Amino acid sequence: MPPFTRTPTSRELRQDVLLAGVVLVGGILSAALSSIAKVYGTAQAELWTAIPYVVVISAALAVRRRWPAAVAVVVSLAFVVATSLHVPEIYAGNIAMFIGLYTVGAWMNARRRAFLVRAGIIVVMAVWLVIEMYRQAIDQAHKADVVAGMFSPLVAFLMLQVLLNVLYFGGAYYFGERSWAAARQRAALEQRTAELEHERALSAAQAVALDRVRIARELHDVVAHHVSVMGVQAGAARMMIPQDPQAATAIVAGIEASARDAIRDFHQLLDTLRAPGDSDDGSSTVGIDDIAELAAASTAAGLPTRLQVVGEAVPVPRVTAVNLYRIAQESLTNARRHAGPDAVADVRIRYEQGSVELEVVNTGRVVTGLRPGLGQLGMRERATASGGSIELVARPAGGFRVRATLPVAATPAGGAVVESARGALSDRRKAK
């Protein structure tokens, strides 16, 4: 938190001028009544001497928050001079000095200087008051023909005045410190409130950005897969029309089926996007069990694909299941697009203690270097979103391997190996 400073507002400065006006009027009335009451007896000065005194302390209070130290010193000196000259006004001066000391503690930003100013004024006033009151006690004792000792009634009375002054100056010091501390706490609270508001706005912006990424990822997964399949089938149909119209018609029927699958997946995508975030209650209906249909569709589209399930199947959270399906879908789509006409693919799902692993391996062209794209980025994001990891590497003999490991609830070790073949492998695969 930056160093705290207190700066008066325009309204507070206007309030100081109003306070000065109140003290001026009150000081004049107090001077008039004090003159009539003869507060200093026969030693009292003329009434007119109270006017400049009241004007000085009122003018000082009008700028008390601008220059608190100077105001406190001026008011204190004016009080000492007025009291020493027996000016017939004591109440407005006491109030002004209290306000001056309070203002130094409440509004002076240089805290060390604030302490030194108040301590200096208090020490000087204490010494002056003790000397002045003891002198008056001696004078009164001579007039009354009594001894002014430690337990003299006059000295006791003056010591009582000392105690009152201790409370007076101590109160001014304490309330000034409390006002400064309260203002500092209020500023800290306002700063924290502003920071929380900024964090709230940032979180809202991040949530919008995450939703946009989520939508883009889902659209890419669905569109890329089905468009790739339909493109391959359309190319095959175009080549087969002159040679075998019936086979071309069958391929066109496959294109129609792919289009229906695309529409179904788009409906599922809309349901997923309507769900409140990537929660386990997401309404997407694809999952691990649908990877078998994905492998069969890949085989039908020209990429012979075999599916293996290793280990005993365990319940998998909905989000993890959807992410595994989308990773398999993107991997097979990339294989169809880039591996070449003679490629084959293997999809393996391994259930292990506390995790499930998806591995998609395809043969084909040698990949000399990865070209990062939206598909690879989407797969990494899905693996990370489920708290797992993913490996995307080119195979030295040709083709590509995608291996994603996502955590699931721990299950007892053991289990059989279940192999499910989806699609027929060509004779050239067996020869290899």
Side-chain angles (χ1 to χ4, degrees), residues 73-158:
V73 171
V74 168
V75 170
S76 300
L77 289 177
F79 179 83
V80 171
V81 172
T83 304
S84 300
L85 297 177
H86 299 161
V87 173
E89 204 299 305
I90 55 177
Y91 300 106
N94 275 286
I95 293 174
M97 188 163 58
F98 185 94
I99 294 174
L101 289 173
Y102 163 83
T103 304
V104 171
W107 286 91
M108 196 167 176
N109 293 320
R111 300 311 296 169
R112 182 176 179 81
R113 287 181 56 195
F115 169 77
L116 294 177
V117 168
R118 287 176 295 173
I121 291 175
I122 292 173
V123 170
V124 171
M125 292 297 295
V127 172
W128 175 77
L129 286 173
V130 169
I131 295 175
E132 183 68 18
M133 287 187 294
Y134 195 81
R135 184 183 62 81
Q136 292 179 9
I138 296 297
D139 292 342
Q140 293 296 327
H142 286 305
K143 291 179 182 179
D145 196 19
V146 296
V147 178
M150 181 62 69
F151 300 101
S152 167
L154 291 175
V155 174
F157 174 76
L158 294 177

